[in-house]
Amino acid sequence: MNFSVLLNNVMAEAFEKAGYDRTYGKVSVSNRPDLCEYQCNGAMAAAKAYHKAPIQIAEDVVRNLEGNAVFETAEAVKPGFINMNISTAFLQSYCNEMAVKDHFGMEFPEKKTIIVDYGGPNVAKPLHIGHLRSAIIGESIKRILKYMGHETIGDTHLGDWGLQIGLIIEELKERKPELPYFDPSFTGAYPEEAPFTISELEAIYPAASAKSKVDADFAERAHDNTLKLQGGDPACRAIWQHIINVSVNDLKKNYENLNVSFELWKAESDAQPYIPDMIQSFKDQGIAYVSDGALVVDVAEDTDKTEIPPCLVVKSDGASLYATTDLATIIWRMNDYHPDQMIYLADKRQDLHYTQFFRVARKAHMVEEDTRLNFIGFGTMNGKDGKPFKTRAGGVMRLEALISDINDAVYEKMKERYDESELDEKTVKQVGLAAIKYGDLSNQATKDYNFDIDRFASFEGNTGPYILYTIVRIKSILRRTEITDAFAPTFNADASGNACLKALMKNLCGFADMVENAAEELAPHKICSYIYQLSDAFNGFYHDTQILKEEDTEKKNLYLSVLVLTKSVLETCIDLLGFEAPERM
Ligand code: ARG
């Protein structure tokens, strides 16, 4: 059982035995650690219901706590608080269970099928930092939910169906007019080989986009190409397929470098076949109507604090929109996977879009009543100066460039600590990834944050490298012992005199509660603050206690057991965040 459940149970029982309702017996971590470790304020609330002085209730409850195995001390203090300290022996027995049980003894909730939509890159453009947060946060949320026993499916939801494709086609035509795609009399099969490499493709899009802003005819032709693509024109479809192939190959490499992977590589275009019937059904259900030539669905609700305008589902020229595609995507997702929940990640400025199409999906009964739809809108990643992140030249930062910058910074920091001959590229990359991911995930997703390479790459403070350093430190201590993988942790020696050890065990025992909470709130930052505290607690213990020199075998065994458990909890947590620790650093 989760640690908090055990504490609550003991307290609830004491309330019950004393003649009060057990629901008052809730235990929380003390907000006055100088006075006690845990507290219960239930007597204050019960006082009203039982018309008694709270201190009297608190005293009744404390009397009934006598002899319990969880709290070493319990004290009623005026006006009616109950202050407790936890028993070290109880922490040890809980750690014992954690060490041997699968998932550290965590209880699983009911198993759900959950789709996480967290890619969103556009096939025409290289991955840039705009897609970084989605990938990092989405991957972590997916891993957390999977750890909780759910069936999770990550989908890239590639942007492959908009004007960007029409623009590329037009630019390609100007650059290589001799290609068969542009010969109207061509009747053969189009070439298998793509008419561009990834670097050519990366140059084509920005050039086309710039041209379309100054050349109205070019923009018009690009728009026509887009319509032709959507209408099924074979030449446009063939080029589009090449764009996807070349681009997806490159995207996969980039995501792999980030330790991010998707179960599905679906795209906006996969939703297109469902659109006509969907629109018809909106009309048949009487929820869509024509307004200014466009088809819209009302989604405002009485309780709205701000105005939620109708959701546009078909443009006046008949084209589909962002919402149309997202709605039609729900159809195949429901058909093929029947998810209990769908979680979307995107920049928080897209909030209205999600509110609108979620409401249409419900109104049109495209999901079950209890299907959960969540939007996680994340804030902007700014530069160190608090302004939107740019390259030194002022352009959009490519993800690859960002990763290489952080690896350079990590390398410099590591050079201060280690001999250069010890630094291999793999370790630098692992530390670099931890720096980026932890730097991002340690912030609440909705908040903007400043990407500060120096701070993120530091080995001190609330950073990824600090966490890795702690894990590596444990690994290196363990290497100096004779213990093997077969080592069975035991927490039996008397540990009551060691305050740092007690603090560390208390942290360890909070693991299941923490993960459960992070999953419920879809909040990876809770894992970061947990492992930061856990690392601090470990380092406190390490500096305070002679581990390897301990002569009492039982005690030494206890210390090593704590090391092994701390290491595996930390490793599990960073895996949930999407990075891993090197063997040495
Ligand atoms: N491609 C979009 C963008 O770059 C993000 C897509 C997010 N997912 C979704 N289902 N709308 O902004």
Side-chain angles (χ1 to χ4, degrees), residues 45 116 157 181 295 368 396 417 421 575:
V116 190
H157 199 71
Y181 311 97
L295 198 69
E368 311 278 331
V396 177
R417 305 179 150 247
S421 63
D575 184 53

Side-chain angles (χ1 to χ4, degrees), residues 268-289:
E268 287 177 353
S269 60
D270 287 297
Q272 304 310 311
Y274 300 94
I275 292 177
D277 285 354
M278 177 181 81
I279 297 298
Q280 190 55 47
S281 118
F282 291 168
K283 289 179 185 158
D284 293 347
Q285 295 183 67
I287 58 171
Y289 64 94

